[in-house]
């Protein structure tokens, strides 16, 4: 079943002079609050994200946008903090009467990393210091209290020893949280899971191995519908969905053993005139549910260009109505 209805690429969240990525939305009485990543377009996209990405808050009275920038939430700006210099991959959700913001972050001492004579080496070192963190507030307007340390770190000698990134929290009916995440392995990108009884943790891995073993995916978004677990993730090679970087929908009864269900979305979308547009990227899927818990809107990082974020000229967060 085709899930994506028509979309207006001119809406969503754009910022002149910035790469815009990620994008997770919370519905409130006053409208829709988006938490996204941005960083200046002064440098190539990937290199710039590793060093200078920050998480920002934007708002729109309409779920499709346009979203208007309000404030920067993270990083802290203090290089001595583990989350002092870069923050990325926000996912926002409501947990009881609190707002949870999961993210990744890192830090470094260099005042200007782009001027470093060993910039490539430094970029690798900073990337490998990425950890998953949590910030908590009573309102999307803040103030935000970020936990003083990461909630999930790599395990030396394990399959996820290199990095933990792409956090995808899933709240179970009993209040427990399954935190899905991605790491890099010689076999490709893999997804693991840790669980906690409360948002602050501790988070304990439920399996010593990846839980989506055999599937080369990243950018998971996870939810529980009251009966089953669901994940939408980016198909890295097109071997799952038949389209490179399309969305793959997986289901599970226990949150550990998964099977592929169907193709969730394509990088080809229709504009308001019904014309098919092939996006260079449609990544980092984030869903907003309706009152019954069904996916109602898809928010995703979009890019123009011939394909792949490294070849993008412009990026933004696109908002798309879904066919239920």
């Amino acid at each position: 079943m085709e899930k994506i209805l028509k979309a207006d690429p001119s809406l969503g969240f754009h910022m002149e002079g910035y790469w815009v990525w990620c994008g997770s939305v919370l519905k409130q009485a006053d409208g829709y609050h988006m938490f996204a990543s941005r960083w200046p377009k002064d440098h190539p996209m990937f290199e710039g994200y590793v060093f200078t990405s920050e998480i920002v808050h934007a708002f729109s009275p309409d779920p499709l946008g346009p979203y208007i920038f309000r404030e920067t939430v993270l990083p802290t700006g203090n290089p001595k903090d583990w989350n002092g210099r870069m923050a990325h991959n926000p996912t926002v959700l409501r947990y009881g009467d609190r707002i949870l913001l999961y993210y990744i972050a890192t830090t470094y001492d260099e005042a200007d990393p782009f001027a470093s004579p060993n910039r490539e080496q430094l970029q690798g070192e900073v990337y490998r210091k990425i950890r998953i963190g949590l910030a908590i507030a009573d309102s999307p307007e803040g103030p935000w209290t970020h936990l003083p340390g990461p909630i999930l770190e790599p395990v030396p000698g394990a399959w996820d020893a290199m990095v933990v990134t792409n956090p995808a929290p899933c709240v179970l009916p009993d209040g427990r949280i399954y935190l899905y995440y991605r790491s890099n392995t010689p076999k490709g990108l893999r997804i693991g899971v840790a669980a906690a009884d409360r948002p602050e943790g501790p988070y304990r891995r439920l399996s010593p191995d990846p839980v989506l073993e055999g599937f080369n995916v990243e950018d998971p978004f996870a939810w529980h519908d009251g009966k089953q677990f669901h994940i939408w993730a980016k198909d890295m090679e097109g071997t799952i969905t038949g389209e490179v970087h399309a969305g793959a929908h997986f289901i599970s009864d226990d949150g550990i053993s998964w099977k592929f269900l169907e193709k969730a979305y394509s990088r080809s979308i229709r504009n308001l005139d019904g014309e098919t547009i092939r996006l260079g990227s449609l990544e980092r899927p984030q869903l907003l549910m309706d009152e019954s818990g069904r996916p109602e809107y898809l928010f995703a990082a979009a890019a123009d260009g011939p394909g792949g974020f490294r070849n993008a000229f412009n990026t933004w967060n696109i908002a798309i109505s879904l066919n239920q």
Side-chain angles (χ1 to χ4, degrees), residues 10-299:
S10 70
L11 298 179
F13 181 40
H14 299 251
M15 288 201 76
E16 186 71 26
Y18 286 91
W19 302 110
V20 175
W21 209 243
C22 306
S24 180
V25 173
L26 187 72
K27 181 180 179 180
Q28 292 282 100
D30 61 342
Y32 297 82
H33 297 259
M34 177 183 288
F35 294 84
S37 302
R38 74 165 188 182
W39 56 102
K41 293 182 73 173
D42 298 342
H43 300 281
M45 183 185 176
F46 183 81
E47 184 180 61
Y49 123 74
V50 172
F51 288 129
T52 62
S53 176
E54 58 186 11
I55 294 172
V56 298
H57 173 205
F59 175 80
S60 172
D62 188 307
L64 301 181
Y67 285 81
I68 305 302
F69 169 82
R70 282 195 169 177
E71 63 179 341
T72 299
V73 177
L74 283 163
T76 68
N78 182 356
K80 296 186 181 302
D81 295 334
W82 75 272
N83 52 358
R85 298 297 296 271
M86 185 278 271
H88 196 66
N89 281 178
T91 293
V92 66
L93 56 92
R94 185 176 289 105
Y95 187 89
D97 58 358
R98 296 186 292 172
I99 307 298
L100 307 181
L101 180 64
Y102 288 82
Y103 64 97
I104 64 171
T106 187
T107 195
Y108 49 87
D109 294 327
E110 288 75 6
D112 183 3
F114 300 104
S116 171
N118 301 310
R119 188 168 61 185
E120 287 190 13
Q121 179 181 340
L122 176 62
Q123 179 178 318
E125 293 173 354
V126 171
Y127 179 84
R128 287 187 291 273
K129 290 169 63 179
I130 285 174
R131 303 292 187 263
I132 295 175
L134 174 64
I136 303 174
D138 294 328
S139 160
E141 303 286 358
W144 292 93
T145 299
H146 59 87
L147 301 190
I151 60 171
L152 197 71
E153 305 190 49
V155 175
W159 73 272
D160 54 0
M162 179 180 178
V163 69
V164 290
T165 185
N166 293 173
C170 175
V171 180
L172 278 62
D174 63 6
R176 287 180 298 155
I177 297 174
Y178 278 19
L179 179 60
Y180 294 91
Y181 64 95
R182 185 259 290 176
S183 191
N184 306 352
T185 78
K187 296 180 180 180
L189 307 183
R190 295 292 186 266
I191 306 298
V193 63
D197 294 329
R198 54 197 292 268
E200 294 86 349
Y203 288 80
R204 301 181 178 88
R205 284 163 171 81
L206 297 180
S207 170
D209 303 307
V211 294
L212 278 174
E213 185 59 60
F215 296 110
N216 188 7
V217 296
E218 70 170 3
D219 293 349
F221 177 87
W223 78 98
H224 194 283
D225 66 6
K227 297 179 180 179
Q228 284 185 309
F229 293 83
H230 298 259
I231 280 180
W232 281 18
K234 173 185 167 186
D235 182 357
M236 296 300 294
E237 299 172 332
T239 55
I240 308 167
T241 64
E243 178 187 347
V244 174
H245 293 179
H249 185 175
F250 302 90
I251 57 173
S252 171
D253 291 329
D254 61 4
I256 298 176
S257 299
W258 292 84
K259 63 180 180 180
F260 172 65
L261 178 64
E262 61 184 349
K263 184 177 180 177
Y265 60 85
S266 168
R267 287 192 291 125
S268 294
I269 65 171
R270 287 178 293 147
N271 64 16
L272 297 183
D273 296 326
E275 176 188 4
T276 298
I277 301 173
R278 181 73 169 173
L279 295 170
S281 296
L282 189 65
E283 308 184 11
R284 294 289 302 153
Q286 297 279 312
L287 295 172
L288 183 63
M289 308 300 179
D290 65 13
E291 286 76 9
S292 63
R294 296 179 300 175
E296 186 174 18
Y297 297 100
L298 167 65
F299 298 90

